[in-house]
Amino acid sequence: AEVEALLLFEVCGETNEWEVVAKPGRVLKPGVELVFGNGSVRGVVTAELDDGRRRIRFASHGDFKAEVDRIGNTPLPPYIKRPVTAVGGRLEESRYQTIFATERGAIAAPTAGLHFSETVLENLRMRGIEVVWVTHHVGYGTFQPIRVERVEDHRIESEWFQISGEAAATINRRRNAGGRLIAVGTTTVRALESSVDDSGRIIEGTGRTELFIYPGFSFRAIDGLLTNFHLPRSSLLMLVSAFSGLNLTLSAYRHAVEERYRFYSYGDCMLII
């Protein structure tokens, strides 16, 4: 059978075992062997998990990640209809990346960052605005809608993030001098709010966060947020509502619909101060 496998994250580096979303799941029982790219990558199912997920141990003739890049495709959102092999080879894959993306690990682009170009960043710097990079790997859970009656019962899958000592020092220095910290994207918010102490100081470090931000949350790290327009019943919309207030958020969304703003990954954005 033909199988599609979306790599989520590495479970064990020593055995090259990954958690994946695989289709069709019904044929992928533990012990089933898989062949990708005419045999350049092979795998065996080691465990059957919930939600169509499997654990697969991979092997390849060469560098595994290089082979995945060669034979695989970037998992673009389903509403992007243009093929990944459009004009210019993998043009859509290069478009679906922020200009500051450097680390492998996210399964989706942090799309608020798509609004930035080198020219935009340079214009910000000319106005005295410092730009600081943090890393947060968007996980599969970002696409999971909220289906529970009590929002407190919703759980977000953990996502990996890293805030360097240089980034933390720059943020703390500017905030101590009266500057404001504007987060680009909801994933950045979760990384920062997971790395702040009671005094509002950002702490450097690497870890995983399951932080679910919804109305009633007390923000300690950020002073502003640049974010795209999100789907109803999503944890992303909950985060925006927690920061700007539910009434103002709904008002902004009504305006966006009336004025035909664009939603989704390649859509418009809002700046909330």
Side-chain angles (χ1 to χ4, degrees), residues 116-131:
F116 290 83
S117 65
E118 290 294 350
T119 300
V120 171
L121 292 178
E122 184 59 29
N123 287 338
L124 291 174
R125 294 186 181 103
M126 290 175 62
R127 288 166 170 78
I129 298 172
E130 286 192 78
V131 180

Side-chain angles (χ1 to χ4, degrees), residues 90-142:
R90 298 191 169 188
L91 175 62
E92 207 61 50
E93 290 187 358
S94 64
R95 284 176 169 169
Y96 190 65
Q97 294 284 359
T98 62
I99 62 169
F100 39 79
T102 58
E103 301 294 331
R104 180 193 300 267
I107 71 160
T111 52
L114 295 176
H115 300 281
F116 290 83
S117 65
E118 290 294 350
T119 300
V120 171
L121 292 178
E122 184 59 29
N123 287 338
L124 291 174
R125 294 186 181 103
M126 290 175 62
R127 288 166 170 78
I129 298 172
E130 286 192 78
V131 180
V132 176
W133 315 122
V134 301
T135 301
H136 186 116
H137 288 166
V138 181
Y140 191 66
T142 193

Side-chain angles (χ1 to χ4, degrees), residues 126-188:
M126 290 175 62
R127 288 166 170 78
I129 298 172
E130 286 192 78
V131 180
V132 176
W133 315 122
V134 301
T135 301
H136 186 116
H137 288 166
V138 181
Y140 191 66
T142 193
F143 301 113
Q144 294 176 332
I146 297 174
R147 296 189 175 94
V148 294
E149 290 298 324
R150 296 177 68 254
V151 66
E152 298 90 340
D153 295 333
H154 181 71
R155 293 292 178 267
I156 290 183
E157 295 185 21
S158 67
E159 295 175 330
W160 186 89
F161 72 93
Q162 182 178 55
I163 297 178
S164 68
E166 181 182 1
T170 300
I171 293 170
N172 293 329
R173 171 175 53 80
R174 289 301 297 261
R175 294 193 84 190
N176 289 339
R180 294 183 296 186
L181 177 57
I182 310 298
V184 176
T186 56
T187 49
T188 304

Side-chain angles (χ1 to χ4, degrees), residues 207-253:
R208 303 189 70 88
T209 179
E210 299 177 350
L211 181 62
F212 176 30
I213 298 176
Y214 55 88
F217 180 83
S218 296
F219 290 85
R220 293 179 294 172
I222 69 167
D223 305 295
L225 169 62
L226 184 91
T227 182
N228 283 26
F229 290 88
H230 306 292
L231 290 173
R233 301 186 70 84
S234 68
S235 62
L236 309 180
L237 183 55
M238 286 285 184
L239 186 153
V240 174
S241 299
F243 186 68
S244 64
L246 180 59
N247 291 335
L248 181 59
T249 301
L250 293 178
S251 177
Y253 271 67

